[in-house]
Amino acid sequence: MTTALPHSATTSLAPGCQSCAGRPGERLYSIGTGQPRALAKADAEAAAFGDGAHVHQSLPDDQYVVVRPITDTEAGQP
């Protein structure tokens, strides 16, 4: 599933994303939407990362961004 981000791809929150459920996300990978099969590549990367990784779309940056929600135990860790 792809969720559109309302702000820059550096934004770690996507309020409408059911997978993130309001939690910040760790950015793992990004690809420009104009590249051939960009969404398929982003989906494949998310599947490879596993553990809740999924795709957001950053409209201002014209990118697909693979993120993984940060759990409460991960927050604040280096």
Side-chain angles (χ1 to χ4, degrees):
M1 176 177 86
T2 303
T3 301
L5 294 175
H7 303 291
S8 166
T10 59
T11 299
S12 60
L13 293 174
C17 179
Q18 294 178 354
S19 297
C20 287
R23 297 174 290 177
E26 175 186 10
R27 183 177 174 164
L28 304 171
Y29 173 84
S30 64
I31 186 169
T33 59
Q35 295 189 31
R37 298 186 37 81
L39 181 54
K41 290 176 184 177
D43 282 337
E45 289 292 326
F49 280 111
D51 195 28
H54 58 282
V55 179
H56 288 176
Q57 182 179 15
S58 174
L59 298 175
D61 296 332
D62 202 26
Q63 293 186 338
Y64 292 117
V65 182
V66 176
V67 299
R68 179 184 298 133
I70 298 172
T71 64
D72 293 336
T73 57
E74 292 175 325
Q77 297 296 317

